[in-house]
Amino acid sequence: MSTTVDTNIEGAILTIDQAAAYLAIPKATLYTWRTRRAGFGPRAVKLGGCLRYRRSDLDAWVAEHLESFDDTPAVPEQRAGDGVSLSRASRPR
């Protein structure tokens, strides 16, 4: 029995080992995203008690998490007096 995972996956439904290989991440990361960071990782399907991933869901999740390297700042700049201060209010001593 071979312990290598075929990363040239043609099927639409992937096991967790295949999904991890497809995303080039450890299998434990997929489990962590599923249990500790609910809603963060790619959508999964439970088939007969087994966790499976649709390749289209993996591709969609990757597309949603692409970094943007344009000149637009990630956080809009605030002008003086425009908005609420995010620092804690000072208390009288």
Side-chain angles (χ1 to χ4, degrees):
M1 181 171 155
S2 175
T3 59
T4 61
V5 177
D6 184 9
T7 57
N8 186 14
I9 299 160
E10 298 296 326
I13 304 292
L14 309 177
T15 66
I16 193 157
D17 289 320
Q18 292 169 327
Y22 184 73
L23 295 174
I25 60 172
K27 178 171 66 169
T29 300
L30 285 173
Y31 282 124
T32 299
W33 287 345
R34 184 159 174 81
T35 58
R36 296 186 186 159
R37 297 189 67 188
F40 176 74
R43 292 174 41 172
V45 178
K46 288 281 270 198
L47 296 174
C50 297
L51 195 59
R52 299 288 187 251
Y53 290 88
R54 292 186 298 191
R55 188 167 160 184
S56 60
D57 287 337
L58 296 176
D59 292 335
W61 185 82
V62 168
E64 290 171 5
H65 289 84
L66 287 176
E67 288 188 27
S68 172
F69 292 107
D70 57 3
D71 293 334
T72 309
V75 177
E77 295 179 24
Q78 284 190 345
R79 293 173 284 177
D82 185 32
V84 178
S85 171
L86 298 177
S87 63
R88 293 170 46 183
S90 58
R91 298 183 312 198
R93 294 183 182 190

